[in-house]
C-alpha cells in the first residue's frame, strides 16, 4: 500500500476532516429526502448513512483486537430516531480509536484480510468523503471535495485500483477528463463521474 509519505497524524487528520464533511451532508438531509436514490446503485440516502455508521462502529472493535464480519445489507434501523446523532457517536468513537498511540502501525483482522491500521483508516476516510459526495448528489447540491484528502486517497488506492470493482463496493473506474483535478480523478477511480 503506498502513501508512505504521510504521517499517522496526517492520516487521522484526513479522517477527521472527511468525517466532518460527511456529517455536514447528513445535517443537510431533509425529512422527505432520506429515501432519495444515490449514485450507489440500489442505495437511498438512509442506506448510505447506515453503511458509514456501521463501518465507523466497527473501528473500535477492530482496533481493540476484536473481529467483525463483512456486512452486505445495511438496515436503516441502525440509525435510530436521530441519524445525525447516531453518526456523530460512531464517528467520534472511530476517531478516538484511530488516534490512540500506535493504532495505525498494528495489523488487524479485517473482513478483507489482515491489514494495517493505516489501511483501515484509508478505507474509512474514503467512505466518509465519497459517500458524503454521494449524498450531496442525491440532494442535488454541489460540493467541493478537499483536494489534499483526494491526493492522499489517490495514493492510497492506486496500487489497488484493479481490485476495486471486485470489492463489491465500487463500480468500474471511468476515464476522467483530461486535466482533471484530484477530486474528479478520485471519483472516476471509484466509478463515479463528477458531471
Amino acid at each position: 500500500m503506498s502513501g508512505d509519505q504521510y504521517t499517522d497524524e496526517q492520516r487521522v487528520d484526513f479522517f477527521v476532516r472527511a468525517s466532518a464533511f460527511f456529517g455536514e451532508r447528513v445535517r443537510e438531509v431533509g425529512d422527505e429526502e432520506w429515501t432519495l436514490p444515490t449514485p450507489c446503485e440500489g442505495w437511498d440516502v438512509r442506506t448510505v448513512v447506515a453503511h458509514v455508521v456501521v463501518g465507523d462502529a466497527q473501528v473500535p472493535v477492530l482496533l481493540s483486537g476484536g473481529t467483525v464480519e463483512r456486512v452486505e445489507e445495511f438496515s436503516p434501523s441502525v440509525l435510530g430516531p436521530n441519524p445525525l446523532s447516531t453518526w456523530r457517536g460512531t464517528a467520534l468513537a472511530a476517531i478516538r480509536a484511530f488516534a490512540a498511540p500506535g493504532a495505525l502501525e498494528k495489523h488487524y483482522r479485517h473482513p478483507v484480510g489482515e491489514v494495517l491500521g493505516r489501511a483501515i483508516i484509508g478505507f474509512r476516510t474514503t467512505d466518509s468523503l465519497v459517500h458524503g459526495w454521494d449524498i450531496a448528489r442525491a440532494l442535488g447540491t454541489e460540493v467541493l471535495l478537499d483536494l489534499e484528502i483526494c491526493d492522499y486517497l489517490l495514493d492510497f488506492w492506486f496500487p489497488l485500483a484493479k481490485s476495486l470493482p471486485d470489492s463489491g463496493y465500487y463500480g468500474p473506474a471511468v476515464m476522467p477528463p483530461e486535466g482533471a483535478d484530484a477530486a474528479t480523478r478520485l471519483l472516476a477511480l471509484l466509478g463515479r463521474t463528477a458531471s
Side-chain angles (χ1 to χ4, degrees):
M1 185 108 21
S2 74
D4 290 338
Q5 70 268 33
Y6 300 100
T7 67
D8 288 348
E9 290 77 15
Q10 286 176 301
R11 291 180 175 94
V12 172
D13 178 61
F14 293 150
F15 177 66
V16 170
R17 286 156 54 187
S19 294
F21 172 80
F22 184 83
E24 286 298 318
R25 307 291 74 78
V26 175
R27 187 176 287 110
E28 293 169 353
V29 180
D31 290 343
E32 306 302 316
E33 296 177 315
W34 287 98
T35 57
L36 289 175
T38 71
C40 302
E41 187 176 347
W43 287 9
D44 62 11
V45 170
R46 189 177 296 274
T47 304
V48 168
V49 176
H51 167 73
V52 173
V53 163
V54 169
D56 283 351
Q58 290 180 333
V59 171
V61 178
L62 278 169
L63 271 57
S64 65
T67 58
V68 298
E69 300 296 323
R70 179 178 170 126
V71 180
E72 301 289 349
E73 300 289 331
F74 298 92
S75 170
S77 66
V78 302
L79 300 178
N82 188 334
L84 182 63
S85 178
T86 301
W87 162 80
R88 186 181 294 114
T90 56
L92 288 173
I95 290 167
R96 283 192 295 269
F98 282 136
L104 302 188
E105 300 168 12
K106 299 174 185 173
H107 283 87
Y108 303 94
R109 288 173 294 175
H110 189 275
V112 301
E114 189 163 310
V115 296
L116 277 170
R118 289 175 184 157
I120 298 171
I121 201 171
F123 300 154
R124 301 304 319 135
T125 303
T126 304
D127 260 17
S128 290
L129 190 72
V130 176
H131 286 317
W133 182 87
D134 290 334
I135 292 171
R137 288 303 296 264
L139 301 183
T141 57
E142 294 291 329
V143 291
L144 297 175
L145 298 184
D146 185 316
L147 295 181
E148 187 179 21
I149 300 175
C150 291
D151 278 329
Y152 155 68
L153 291 175
L154 283 167
D155 289 339
F156 175 79
W157 284 111
F158 186 72
L160 305 172
K162 290 183 180 177
S163 66
L164 280 171
D166 295 333
S167 71
Y169 291 128
Y170 301 102
V174 297
M175 184 63 67
E178 189 173 343
D181 64 13
T184 303
R185 287 185 284 120
L186 177 66
L187 292 168
L189 179 65
L190 302 179
R192 291 159 170 83
T193 56
S195 58

